[in-house]
Amino acid sequence: MSAPLFLVDELPSGRRFTLAGAEGHHAATVQRLKVGEDLLLSDGRGGTAVAEVTAVGRGSVDVAVLGWELADPPDPRLVVVQGIAKGDRGELAVQAMTEIGVDEIVPWAASRSVAQWRGDRGVKAREKWVSTAREAAKQARRSWLPVIAGNPDVSTKKVSALLPAAAAAFVLHEEATDRLSRAKLPGGGDIVLVVGPEGGISDQELGSFVAAGAQPVRLGDSVLRTSTAGMAALAVLSARLDRW
């Protein structure tokens, strides 16, 4: 089993470090790491330190840092505009997409989104997405945390405004004739993928996105749920971009 990863605000600069707080509690109490076991420390911005547990306290672990690594930022970047879904489907989508390798997720307040992120509810909902992405990144041993955009969400108008700056933009749509597996991909920059909510993307939204430069595409003959469509599309892109 690979060494577990724990997130820290800043990587240790010296050879000795104490992992405390929530991550230290998880390491000592939940995972029950023992002296001599290895772990990874990451700042979520590409930096990783390989360390070995030297002592276990109550809610903390002392480690000896064995080495440091710095991963380049991903390029192209995979950005998913995810239509806000009801219940826990949005969080399921965030979890799966983070594990696969999404670099940024934009919560989209689509016209057919059943759930609406308004006021404190929206702030809390976005925080759940951030927390879900954080835990999924740790599970996947990712050195770069995905960005969760929005404050708390993004309107259709703002989605249309960000598409022209992308190196490539695609909209998953069941009536599209082009397939994502055959679409032309750029060598760098942002690849933006728009995924609709449960009710799908309206004709007006689709027209706005196409006018902004996005290409409607489909994955296959079946229609996927909003919680799985982005994940499946990212798998296709990851394979085509040699990430996998």
Side-chain angles (χ1 to χ4, degrees):
M1 183 176 178
S2 58
L5 183 144
F6 300 92
L7 290 169
V8 293
D9 293 334
E10 299 289 341
L11 289 181
S13 57
R15 291 289 179 177
R16 300 292 174 181
F17 180 74
T18 298
L19 181 64
E23 294 290 80
H25 171 79
H26 190 78
T29 307
V30 179
Q31 296 218 356
R32 298 182 180 180
L33 295 182
K34 296 179 175 60
V35 173
E37 291 188 304
D38 291 336
L39 59 81
L40 301 174
L41 302 172
S42 175
D43 59 9
R45 302 182 297 277
T48 305
V50 181
E52 179 182 302
V53 178
T54 57
V56 179
R58 181 174 292 181
S60 66
V61 295
D62 295 335
V63 302
V65 179
L66 305 178
W68 293 264
E69 297 178 358
L70 181 61
D72 293 331
D75 187 41
R77 293 177 71 248
L78 299 178
V79 181
V80 175
V81 177
Q82 174 67 52
I84 295 172
K86 65 181 179 180
D88 63 353
R89 289 181 182 173
E91 291 165 43
L92 290 172
V94 170
Q95 180 184 43
M97 291 191 296
T98 299
E99 292 179 3
I100 289 175
V102 70
D103 299 304
E104 182 174 352
I105 302 173
V106 181
W108 170 36
S111 62
R112 294 177 179 172
S113 289
V114 175
Q116 298 295 321
W117 286 9
R118 295 193 177 97
D120 291 341
R121 178 182 179 181
V123 173
K124 292 179 180 178
R126 182 183 177 279
E127 288 175 351
K128 284 186 178 180
W129 281 30
V130 172
S131 176
T132 299
R134 179 183 175 92
E135 293 306 311
K138 289 166 57 177
Q139 173 65 34
R141 315 298 197 264
R142 289 188 55 175
S143 59
W144 283 92
L145 278 177
V147 176
I148 307 296
N151 188 29
D153 55 19
V154 175
S155 66
T156 297
K157 182 178 180 180
K158 290 184 178 179
V159 172
S160 298
L162 67 84
L163 296 179
F170 304 102
V171 183
L172 291 185
H173 197 271
E174 61 191 70
E175 296 179 3
T177 55
D178 295 332
R179 293 180 182 268
L180 181 61
S181 59
R182 299 170 187 164
K184 184 178 180 180
L185 301 180
D190 285 357
I191 299 176
V192 179
L193 180 74
V194 181
V195 180
E198 295 98 324
I201 298 174
S202 71
D203 291 341
Q204 183 178 4
E205 290 167 337
L206 180 61
S208 178
F209 297 154
V210 170
Q215 176 186 356
V217 294
R218 65 188 303 160
L219 292 170
D221 296 330
S222 58
V223 179
L224 303 183
R225 291 180 181 271
T226 186
S227 56
T228 55
M231 170 186 64
L234 285 171
V236 172
L237 292 174
S238 294
R240 294 193 59 196
L241 294 169
D242 290 331
R243 287 194 175 194
W244 285 13

